[in-house]
Amino acid sequence: MANEKVCNGCGAIIQTIDEDLPGYVPSNILLSKDKIFCQRCFKLRNYNENKSIVIDNNEYMNILEIPGKNNLILYVIDLFNFHGSLINEIKKYKENNKIIVVINKIDIFPKSININRVLIKIRDQLDKYDIPYDSIEIISTKNNFHFDDLIARIKKTDSSKNIYIIGNANVGKSSIINSLLKYYKNDTNVFVTTSVYPGTTLKTLKIPFSDNSFLYDTPGLFNSKNIYHYIDSKNLKYILPQKEIKPQVFQLNNKQSLFLGSIARIDFIDGNSTSFIVYCNNQVKLHRAKLDEKTNEKFNKFILDKVFIPKSKIINNIDDLQKTEIYIPESKRTSLIISGLAFIDIMKGNVNLNVYAPKGTGISIQESFIGED
Ligand SMILES: Nc1nc2c(ncn2[C@@H]2O[C@H](COP(=O)(O)OP(=O)(O)OP(=O)(O)O)[C@@H](O)[C@H]2O)c(=O)[nH]1
Ligand SMILES: [Mg+2]
């Protein structure tokens, strides 16, 4: 029977009836514990094992209904997938709340990148999409890069405000909560569940922060453009970058194609030969191939080869991928983004490409955030 208790890891309402629904706890455990973690959180936290459960879509409806005024909103963005992190509804908080845009996971980018340049480009893009903010912090929760700056910013803003952490799934919201509890509040006791799998936090969690304020961890919003919707969870570890990306450079011309594992491909249709700098999980198997009448056959063979990771159960041949025609303009260094899988900096434009990716995956271009022009 459902009761008032919630899981301290993911926020789901505790229930003892159905193992396949959120918040399940075997009844003998429920009776004996004060602070409760549901069975799914227990497995994620202890064995990194993702038990897939059925989530009612209504659960996500209220995430962005932040009550009252004078809250502090930490809007977390994944620089690896900037467009996929944009949330239009942020605009409605502009009048009555303070907003800090938090760019997390900077550690996955090569150390050589120029943070000031990244900051300028982020500002440009936030302005372009009319996303309001009072300040921007670029941090890593993993190695604490500039985390003290975030804390200083929160203190400066007003530590008596309630803090809501919002953003897309997997951007690191719960990890930021845990770091705030540890480094701001010196509390290592309450740990919300984090995991490599998108969709970890299931309901908004309210955690005491200062004497009269609370921290709210919210479930990640799902962006249908993100490639991880079209890939089975076993392969996610090959897609979501965990460690510093080692970019790979390919010189490509109009007789060539670049395979990204068994789930995406870029065909160079026409234009002058130029460098492609590929940023993705280091485990994605990249392969440059000749572009001719045999390329499809070769790609189809690679899908069957277990070395060519990542894979997807629903992609059995090239026809299962959607083709998008993209023109890279002759201007500054441009990033081609395959949402959630890779961004590829193309040094010289005036190039026509065919990009193949699982149907639904966002394909876009933007001025490069990280490289010099
Ligand atoms: N490399 C790196 N990984 C991070 C960082 N912050 C979080 N992660 C990892 O990103 C993954 C997702 O982190 P979570 O904190 O669960 O993300 P979330 O936004 O709460 O996810 P949902 O609850 O699914 O919306 C985990 O594997 C974290 O270890 C970071 O700064 N750098
Ligand atoms: Mg979370």
Side-chain angles (χ1 to χ4, degrees):
M1 195 177 71
N3 64 28
E4 297 303 307
K5 291 192 163 154
V6 299
C7 168
N8 288 85
C10 69
I13 294 171
I14 293 295
Q15 52 91 15
T16 57
I17 301 201
D18 192 337
E19 245 185 291
D20 296 325
L21 289 176
Y24 176 74
V25 176
S27 50
N28 54 336
I29 291 180
L30 180 61
L31 291 174
S32 61
K33 291 246 172 99
D34 242 8
K35 183 168 278 178
I36 298 167
F37 293 103
C38 69
Q39 191 180 69
R40 173 175 168 269
C41 278
F42 183 81
K43 288 187 177 174
L44 276 171
R45 297 160 78 95
N46 293 299
Y47 311 114
N48 197 20
E49 208 180 274
N50 189 24
K51 179 171 172 32
S52 49
I53 48 155
V54 186
I55 303 166
D56 179 355
N57 264 343
N58 291 332
E59 297 283 351
Y60 290 104
M61 301 282 279
N62 298 325
I63 297 170
L64 291 166
E65 294 309 316
I66 293 177
K69 301 174 177 180
N70 283 327
N71 300 298
L72 172 58
I73 293 169
L74 303 190
Y75 167 29
V76 188
I77 283 187
D78 182 353
L79 190 60
F80 187 66
N81 186 9
F82 185 84
H83 285 143
S85 299
L86 293 177
I87 300 172
N88 254 322
E89 287 84 348
I90 295 291
K91 290 173 192 162
K92 70 180 179 193
Y93 307 127
K94 184 179 170 186
E95 294 302 320
N96 302 315
N97 302 283
K98 290 266 180 239
I99 302 171
I100 303 177
V101 167
V102 182
I103 311 289
N104 190 33
K105 302 196 189 184
I106 196 68
D107 59 287
I108 65 171
F109 291 88
K111 289 193 182 64
S112 56
I113 68 167
N114 179 337
I115 297 284
N116 288 330
R117 180 195 155 93
V118 172
L119 190 59
I120 291 168
K121 298 285 169 194
I122 288 166
R123 260 199 217 114
D124 287 351
Q125 291 287 319
L126 292 173
D127 292 346
K128 180 174 164 190
Y129 289 95
D130 206 17
I131 303 285
Y133 60 91
D134 293 282
S135 57
I136 303 172
E137 298 295 334
I138 301 181
I139 65 160
S140 162
T141 318
K142 192 166 188 175
N143 67 12
N144 277 335
F145 178 84
H146 286 191
F147 201 82
D148 47 351
D149 288 353
L150 176 63
I151 288 180
R153 180 73 67 183
I154 291 172
K155 285 190 172 149
K156 205 169 155 194
T157 305
D158 178 0
S159 52
S160 68
K161 288 183 192 302
N162 285 331
I163 302 178
Y164 286 81
I165 310 220
I166 60 179
N168 276 351
N170 206 250
V171 293
K173 299 177 296 302
S174 300
S175 304
I176 292 172
I177 294 264
N178 286 336
S179 291
L180 282 176
L181 291 170
K182 192 167 164 191
Y183 298 112
Y184 189 115
K185 215 185 153 195
N186 208 9
D187 180 354
T188 49
N189 233 342
V190 196
F191 277 112
V192 291
T193 304
T194 67
S195 91
V196 291
Y197 305 103
T200 300
T201 307
L202 297 179
K203 275 204 147 209
T204 299
L205 266 163
K206 181 177 176 183
I207 304 156
F209 194 47
S210 67
D211 288 346
N212 46 5
S213 76
F214 292 89
L215 262 181
Y216 292 84
D217 188 9
T218 66
L221 297 168
F222 271 82
N223 185 310
S224 63
K225 288 185 179 155
N226 211 313
I227 199 165
Y228 57 60
H229 292 297
Y230 314 107
I231 304 296
D232 34 302
S233 64
K234 214 174 74 199
N235 269 281
L236 284 177
K237 60 175 179 287
Y238 304 125
I239 291 177
L240 304 167
Q242 305 287 323
K243 292 195 277 197
E244 184 179 325
I245 294 171
K246 306 264 179 276
Q248 293 190 52
V249 186
F250 293 86
Q251 188 72 21
L252 287 190
N253 62 42
N254 62 3
K255 302 263 180 347
Q256 288 176 321
S257 171
L258 186 66
F259 299 176
L260 291 90
S262 302
I263 56 170
R265 181 176 127 184
I266 301 166
D267 289 356
F268 194 123
I269 303 301
D270 64 61
N272 289 330
S273 165
T274 184
S275 298
F276 283 54
I277 310 176
V278 185
Y279 297 84
C280 61
N281 183 317
N282 299 328
Q283 295 186 83
V284 174
K285 193 88 182 154
L286 300 172
H287 178 80
R288 182 171 46 187
K290 239 174 147 180
L291 184 61
D292 57 22
E293 67 287 350
K294 293 206 176 121
T295 316
N296 283 352
E297 199 184 313
K298 186 164 189 188
F299 188 76
N300 292 346
K301 263 197 198 146
F302 279 21
I303 290 177
L304 300 174
D305 184 339
K306 62 178 188 307
V307 173
F308 277 84
I309 52 174
K311 301 191 168 290
S312 165
K313 278 185 196 140
I314 56 167
I315 296 161
N316 299 308
N317 67 62
I318 185 74
D319 298 330
D320 293 331
L321 297 177
Q322 187 169 50
K323 182 174 96 178
T324 309
E325 294 177 8
I326 290 277
Y327 173 69
I328 308 289
E330 187 171 23
S331 57
K332 296 182 174 154
R333 173 170 168 166
T334 302
S335 300
L336 164 69
I337 294 141
I338 305 178
S339 247
L341 173 66
F343 68 84
I344 299 126
D345 273 12
I346 298 164
M347 301 307 285
K348 268 199 225 131
N350 201 10
V351 163
N352 281 300
L353 306 171
N354 284 345
V355 181
Y356 294 84
K359 189 165 184 268
T361 307
I363 309 288
S364 57
I365 57 171
Q366 73 190 21
E367 198 184 310
S368 174
F369 275 170
I370 69 168
E372 298 302 324
D373 298 333

